[in-house]
Amino acid sequence: MDSRLVNVVVDAVDPVPLAHWWRRALEWRLGYADAHETDVVPPEGEPGLELVFVPGGRPRLPGSPPNRVHLDLDSSSPADQRETVEFLLDTGAQRVDVGQGDAPWVVLSDPEGNEFCVLDPRPEYDGTGRVAAVVCLAADPPVLAEFWAPLAGMCVTRSTSRVAQLRGTTGPFLEFVASPTPHTAKNRWHLDVRATRAGRGRGRVLSDALEAGARPADVGQGPGVTWTVLADPEGNEFCVLSGSVA
């Protein structure tokens, strides 16, 4: 495959405090940081994607629709799930009702109102690390999963009208879950991909993505940036970064 999913990027009102909150929530560590971004990365040797916090988010208003991209956190047992939820509530998370009803998972939000889930124990997520899945709302999960599989460097492991899953060799799943809510504004959370060293280069990644249904997107990035912003067939923004990964 010519590219791989490498980052989840978060537009934050106050990136540094939010990055520190997620570092503590995941028990991860701080990575690269400068005036424009603060990264949170898994512990050495643990699989996972980097979380990149950047300025640009707006305060979320009460009644705002859920983010189109969120994280699902793993748990190893019912006790672990309860303890994780209690710990996160103690650090500033809030319980959130997004219409989940009597679900076995718990929906919370971080200090800036971004939703995430603490899952009940599920063997399919063994070995993913602390983050079990990156979840994207989709009008047509199977179609969007087929678009993203080569971009993310993953294979489709499940595909129904309600849920489609992608998985790489390590790290979290990338999942698409059916939602009637269309993409209407720039996503607060988005994905970054990068060309692989064994592939055919960044130019080929861009051309393949455009041929598969992506389109150029202007999110105010301006001239001279080292990444290219595209939107997937449902309008979700993502970036193709410069450089390459193994």
Side-chain angles (χ1 to χ4, degrees):
M1 295 182 178
D2 288 332
S3 58
R4 183 170 299 162
L5 179 62
V6 291
N7 299 327
V8 179
V9 182
V10 182
D11 290 350
V13 176
D14 205 343
V16 174
L18 192 62
H20 280 273
W21 187 88
W22 276 98
R23 175 198 59 78
R24 185 181 180 197
L26 297 174
E27 299 180 322
W28 283 10
R29 57 191 176 91
L30 290 179
Y32 177 82
D34 63 18
H36 306 289
E37 71 175 78
T38 303
D39 298 355
V40 176
V41 301
E44 197 71 37
E46 181 178 311
L49 301 169
E50 294 189 5
L51 302 182
V52 178
F53 296 83
V54 299
R58 296 181 179 179
R60 298 199 68 189
L61 300 175
S64 297
N67 286 338
R68 296 192 66 77
V69 179
H70 72 264
L71 303 183
D72 280 356
L73 308 190
D74 191 21
S75 68
S76 59
S77 66
D80 180 47
Q81 184 189 28
R82 290 193 299 272
E83 290 167 7
T84 298
V85 170
E86 290 169 4
F87 168 71
L88 293 168
L89 292 172
D90 286 344
T91 65
Q94 300 288 327
R95 292 184 181 271
V96 179
D97 184 354
V98 294
Q100 68 269 26
D102 188 22
W105 58 87
V106 179
V107 184
L108 302 175
S109 65
D110 70 17
E112 290 199 3
N114 300 300
E115 305 87 2
F116 65 97
C117 299
V118 182
L119 298 179
D120 49 299
R122 302 183 190 184
E124 67 189 281
Y125 295 122
D126 288 350
T128 58
R130 193 71 182 93
V131 177
V134 179
V135 181
C136 306
L137 302 184
D140 194 333
V143 170
L144 208 55
E146 289 291 341
F147 170 85
W148 271 98
L151 266 177
M154 296 179 173
C155 297
V156 178
T157 58
R158 178 186 178 192
S159 185
T160 72
S161 62
R162 291 292 304 163
V163 179
Q165 290 181 319
L166 305 181
R167 183 76 198 279
T169 54
T170 62
F173 285 75
L174 179 57
E175 299 182 349
F176 300 90
V177 177
S179 169
T181 305
H183 175 278
T184 57
K186 181 179 182 292
N187 289 345
R188 294 172 65 91
W189 293 50
H190 73 262
L191 308 180
D192 282 351
V193 301
R194 182 173 273 135
T196 59
R197 286 196 284 271
R200 294 166 288 178
R202 180 167 173 266
R204 186 56 181 260
V205 173
L206 290 169
S207 63
D208 285 353
L210 292 167
E211 186 177 343
R215 56 177 174 79
D218 184 354
V219 294
Q221 64 268 31
V225 297
T226 59
W227 57 88
T228 301
V229 185
L230 301 177
D232 72 17
E234 292 195 6
N236 301 297
E237 304 84 7
F238 65 97
C239 296
V240 181
L241 304 180
S242 60
S244 61
V245 292

